[in-house]
Amino acid sequence: MSQIGPAAGPDKRTLRREILAARNRLTADDVHKAADALAGQALAMPQVARAHAVAAYVSVGAEPGTLALLDALRARGVRVLLPALLPDNDLDWGEYAGEGSLARVRHGGRMTLSEPAGERLGPDAVTDADVVLLPGLAVDGRGMRLGRGGGSYDRVLARLERAGARPALLVLLYGSEIVTHVPGEPHDRPVDAVVTPSGVRRFT
């Protein structure tokens, strides 16, 4: 997989803007084909193949698609947990039971998200997951992930650490989103692997 970006790397805001602009140039067909390929790559991973519970999310717009993977996991009998954004940017969780179990929720002036419409299980439900899929915009060779900047998944990672939970941490990206350097913060935690339509890269 090729890496992009200058050695020093742009700041987070610039990097986010560049990647979102590139995603916006993708066609619906590009996104659909990539989603199918991502599902195949993820399902072949041993951590995913043996998982009993996976915490994931519903992709929006031109994000690397997750619905094909969610449906395949559910067909295998895997319990799939999806987030619901709380007013303080923390995440509650609910169980995925197919596309009909999702509700479109608009959060103030921010984006509209697809969230589980059923019972809320509480923020600590994520600690039961064997695999956690983290949304992201980029990852570098150390496994450091660039998120959207809302901090919701920093809270998830802190919650997992407090609970002593050690799920596999995966991020789904397009191949061009593996970059030379992601600016980091002291609290950032690397992911275990990045899944792209063409393969999986693991970090140690």
Side-chain angles (χ1 to χ4, degrees):
M1 295 175 201
S2 62
Q3 293 186 335
I4 62 171
D11 61 37
K12 285 187 176 182
R13 184 175 298 176
T14 301
L15 191 54
R16 285 189 184 104
R17 186 167 58 244
E18 291 174 353
I19 291 169
L20 288 170
R23 287 185 177 181
N24 286 336
R25 290 192 291 270
L26 296 172
T27 67
D29 191 52
D30 291 335
V31 175
H32 179 74
K33 287 179 179 177
D36 287 343
L38 283 164
Q41 296 288 354
L43 292 166
M45 296 180 68
Q47 301 99 314
V48 177
R50 62 174 177 256
H52 297 289
V54 173
Y57 59 95
V58 180
S59 54
V60 296
E63 270 191 312
T66 61
L67 272 177
L69 177 56
L70 302 186
D71 287 333
L73 288 169
R74 185 166 169 266
R76 290 184 176 191
V78 178
R79 186 180 187 220
V80 178
L81 301 174
L82 296 179
L85 187 64
L86 295 171
D88 65 354
N89 272 4
D90 205 348
L91 298 177
D92 202 338
W93 298 86
E95 196 158 340
Y96 179 60
E99 281 195 66
S101 69
L102 299 175
R104 298 280 288 169
V105 181
R106 184 167 182 81
H107 293 276
R110 294 176 291 177
M111 67 176 64
T112 299
L113 301 173
S114 291
E115 299 183 349
E119 177 189 2
R120 293 287 185 263
L121 305 174
D124 288 336
V126 69
T127 62
D128 292 332
D130 306 299
V131 174
V132 176
L133 300 183
L134 304 169
L137 293 172
V139 71
D140 67 17
R142 304 167 298 162
M144 302 308 294
R145 177 187 66 96
L146 177 70
R148 285 184 173 266
S152 297
Y153 280 87
D154 291 332
R155 297 189 185 200
V156 169
L157 294 175
R159 183 169 283 114
L160 293 170
E161 189 168 348
R162 287 196 303 271
R166 295 289 182 268
L169 302 177
L170 311 180
V171 59
L172 306 183
L173 296 175
Y174 299 111
S176 61
E177 294 169 353
I178 300 176
V179 301
T180 303
H181 178 72
V182 169
E185 307 290 342
H187 61 266
D188 287 345
R189 179 179 170 188
V191 297
D192 296 305
V194 56
V195 183
T196 72
S198 60
V200 174
R201 178 171 177 176
R202 293 173 174 81
F203 306 103
T204 56

